[in-house]
Amino acid sequence: MDSIENNALIGALLKVRNLEDLQTIKSPKINLSQKISTAEKAADYPGGINSLRQEVANLLYIDGVYSEEKMVKTDVAFIVQKDGTVSNVHAQGDNFTFNRQAEIALYLLAEKFSPAMIKGDPICYSFKLPLTLTMTD
């Protein structure tokens, strides 16, 4: 990925975020904590958590991360929708550029999750993925 493509993806991220915010305003809040605690089957990425981490690592645009520190960390929280798609991705860490690159990477995932289930019905599921990037010279 080059810087032009990354700039386009950042623009797309902003558009997606705006659309998600508008949808949140229009629809009632979902009580995710209740659904998580009662889920019989958690949402799962094809190949498991290690496959998810590897794909996110491959999708990160490292040249877009600026840091004085050798190691940067973030926690990426997102919702796995009933159809297995990812939405409402928000990364929280000390490095703004790493947070944005992590959010973009989550939206770029090629595969869908298998949704969480309650009594055989798919539900929305809150997911948190901690990420660490070690910068090399």
Side-chain angles (χ1 to χ4, degrees):
M1 178 184 321
D2 62 20
S3 63
I4 293 171
E5 185 179 5
N6 186 56
N7 284 336
L9 290 172
I10 289 172
L13 174 64
L14 292 173
K15 182 178 178 181
V16 167
R17 278 254 180 97
N18 288 337
L19 292 172
E20 288 175 350
D21 288 345
L22 287 172
Q23 186 63 32
T24 301
I25 292 168
K26 290 179 184 177
S27 62
K29 298 274 183 195
I30 298 170
N31 186 351
L32 289 174
S33 60
Q34 179 186 8
K35 293 194 176 198
I36 291 169
S37 63
T38 58
E40 295 165 356
K41 177 190 162 297
D44 191 34
Y45 194 73
I49 191 75
N50 290 334
S51 179
L52 174 62
R53 285 183 180 282
Q54 186 60 51
E55 186 161 352
V56 169
N58 292 340
L59 291 169
L60 280 172
Y61 179 56
I62 305 304
D63 292 341
V65 178
Y66 303 102
S67 177
E68 299 285 324
E69 305 291 323
K70 286 279 188 191
M71 183 183 298
V72 290
K73 296 180 179 187
T74 191
D75 287 319
V76 187
F78 56 96
I79 296 173
V80 176
Q81 296 293 332
K82 293 177 183 181
D83 65 357
T85 59
V86 170
S87 71
N88 300 83
V89 179
H90 295 283
Q92 292 205 315
D94 292 336
N95 186 290
F96 176 81
T97 58
F98 183 47
N99 292 343
R100 293 305 155 258
Q101 294 305 321
E103 290 170 353
I104 290 169
L106 260 293
Y107 279 114
L108 290 174
L109 290 172
E111 301 287 329
K112 288 184 177 184
F113 281 74
S114 62
M117 301 289 218
I118 292 180
K119 297 181 183 175
D121 293 324
I123 60 165
C124 295
Y125 190 81
S126 181
F127 206 102
K128 187 179 273 189
L129 181 68
L131 296 174
T132 302
L133 176 65
T134 302
M135 308 292 279
T136 58
D137 295 329

